[in-house]
Amino acid sequence: MGAGAGMDWSWPGGARSGFALSFDFDAEEVWIGSDPANADRPGVLSQGTYGAKRGIYLVLDLLERRDLTATFFVPGRVAERYPDQVSRIVDGGHELAHHGYTHTHPGRFGPGEEEADFRRAFEVLSAFGTPIAGYRSPAFDFSPSTMDIMVAHGISYSSSLMDDIYPYRHPNGIVELPVQWILDDAPHFWFANSSWDKTIAAPSQVLEIWREETRGIHALGGLTSLALHPQIVGRPSRIAMLDTYLQFVQDQGVHFGTCSEIAGLVP
């Protein structure tokens, strides 16, 4: 696995590294979660609506063309609002995973609220007839209760922390598939009308960043965990860039897998 990795397993098929492609299908909820007042701002919400109206279909079409299976982390409220889109995710053979009911930082909940939010999302997502094995925190962070809540609901893996390039198991048995901002589309492309001084990166810049990070992880035998958002990466120029990047990844001979499948490799 790489010097100092402390892992006693290897990637299937002789692959040197692993690759998990995931999407957070947040739609409007990411904007409401960042500021509840946005619920009354249709212009702000329309950025999330794009993800459900157009971006998700461009993403799914790309995955179908490349014959790739991905993991979609979906807030329960988004699944309620857009059941047809979530059904298409499931019908396409992709994994459906937990992303809260509302897109709320776990640390912002009062006593009992986090568990209620988690349980409601679990029920909504389970109704689509597919196992819900994974969780990604809407904030890439936990509260003191989050891990216990995951265990209570039978969650087998998390993809929320940034402390490694190798999958590992928490003391409570839950597998962690580490993420990192460098392999997320939001830091490079996110733009809101409260940040007019922010420069939106060119797709070519992000392609270079992702390629170099993937090369480095591949050389060390780790896991490239790409965390994307249909409302962000689902713009035409960025979908084209993602297509180019995925070809590059496939050319490396990595082991592709859903998050659940990769978590199942960890002893």
Side-chain angles (χ1 to χ4, degrees):
M1 289 298 298
M7 304 296 289
D8 58 357
W9 55 279
S10 58
W11 296 104
R16 182 173 178 83
S17 70
F19 185 87
L21 177 59
S22 66
F23 297 87
D24 295 357
F25 180 31
D26 296 331
E28 297 89 354
E29 286 305 307
V30 67
W31 299 95
I32 297 171
S34 64
D35 182 359
N38 283 336
D40 298 318
R41 295 168 178 155
V44 172
L45 294 183
S46 68
Q47 299 170 90
T49 303
Y50 175 85
K53 183 179 181 180
R54 187 63 56 199
I56 188 68
Y57 295 109
L58 295 178
V59 165
L60 289 171
D61 288 348
L62 172 59
L63 296 178
E64 184 176 5
R65 292 197 306 272
R66 289 212 159 267
D67 193 25
L68 292 175
T69 305
T71 299
F72 287 79
F73 294 90
V74 184
R77 188 177 283 172
V78 172
E80 289 178 333
R81 188 179 296 129
Y82 298 109
D84 291 346
Q85 287 88 329
V86 175
S87 292
R88 179 163 171 181
I89 290 170
V90 174
D91 292 344
H94 304 290
E95 179 187 7
L96 189 61
H98 198 299
H99 200 39
Y101 179 71
T102 58
H103 198 279
T104 302
H105 190 305
R108 287 169 47 192
F109 286 116
E113 291 179 344
E114 182 182 3
E115 198 282 331
D117 183 278
F118 197 103
R119 182 177 64 254
R120 188 171 183 184
F122 193 88
E123 292 169 352
V124 170
L125 296 173
S126 296
F128 286 87
T130 187
I132 307 301
Y135 171 73
R136 173 170 288 159
S137 165
F140 282 162
D141 207 351
F142 296 154
S143 80
S145 302
T146 305
M147 293 293 279
D148 289 339
I149 292 171
M150 282 193 281
V151 170
H153 287 82
I155 295 296
S156 62
Y157 76 86
S158 159
S159 183
S160 307
L161 304 183
M162 303 189 181
D163 53 349
D164 212 335
I165 60 170
Y166 304 102
Y168 64 91
R169 195 174 292 276
H170 290 282
N172 63 7
I174 289 177
V175 170
E176 187 68 39
L177 305 180
V179 290
Q180 224 291 325
W181 287 120
I182 194 173
L183 291 168
D184 187 308
D185 54 357
H188 307 292
F189 295 128
W190 184 281
F191 188 87
N193 60 9
S194 61
S195 56
W196 291 108
D197 58 343
K198 181 183 183 301
T199 299
I200 299 175
S204 58
Q205 295 173 295
V206 181
L207 176 60
E208 180 180 2
I209 291 169
W210 288 353
R211 277 174 170 166
E212 293 307 309
E213 181 69 4
T214 301
R215 283 193 181 102
I217 293 173
H218 183 67
L220 293 171
L223 173 68
T224 298
S225 185
L226 195 67
L228 308 178
H229 304 77
Q231 64 183 278
I232 298 175
V233 79
R235 302 299 305 186
S237 61
R238 298 168 189 168
I239 282 288
M241 178 273 285
L242 179 59
D243 190 23
T244 300
Y245 168 74
L246 291 174
Q247 182 63 60
F248 161 78
V249 173
Q250 290 180 298
D251 289 344
Q252 305 306 301
V254 305
H255 175 73
F256 273 84
T258 63
C259 290
S260 181
E261 188 269 329
I262 289 175
L265 298 174
V266 180

